[in-house]
Amino acid sequence: IYQIRIQGVLDESWGDYFGGQVVSLQDEADRLPVTTLRTPPMDQSALVGLVSRLHGLGLRLLLVEHVWKGEPMR
């Protein structure tokens, strides 16, 4: 399971496009908005494909982090 943060705003409907990821938004008044995608279990080739799709949409990648299965979304 990976947690991916991108700069910008994506609403929850994008979760279906990215294969069922949970989409959340952190929007603080003094900072640019950040959207977090949490993936289902996937291998590295699937992760590379997802990152490639994000790049193709022109989204700025901020973080790709491996997280354990049982860890709650932050």
Side-chain angles (χ1 to χ4, degrees):
I1 296 176
Y2 294 90
Q3 189 164 279
I4 301 169
R5 291 192 181 138
I6 57 169
Q7 185 175 353
V9 177
L10 295 178
D11 64 35
E12 289 186 18
S13 67
W14 282 91
D16 290 335
Y17 177 76
F18 292 118
Q21 287 80 6
V22 174
V23 180
S24 67
L25 175 66
Q26 297 169 346
D27 191 8
E28 298 175 17
D30 60 338
R31 296 185 175 184
L32 295 172
V34 174
T35 299
T36 301
L37 307 173
R38 189 171 176 113
T39 71
M42 63 172 50
D43 60 20
Q44 282 190 329
S45 63
L47 176 64
V48 169
L50 176 57
V51 169
S52 179
R53 276 201 273 169
L54 292 168
H55 176 74
L57 291 170
L59 299 170
R60 184 173 179 191
L61 186 66
L62 301 175
L63 173 76
V64 176
E65 177 182 31
H66 180 260
V67 294
W68 297 102
K69 284 186 177 182
E71 185 176 337
M73 182 92 166
R74 290 184 249 158

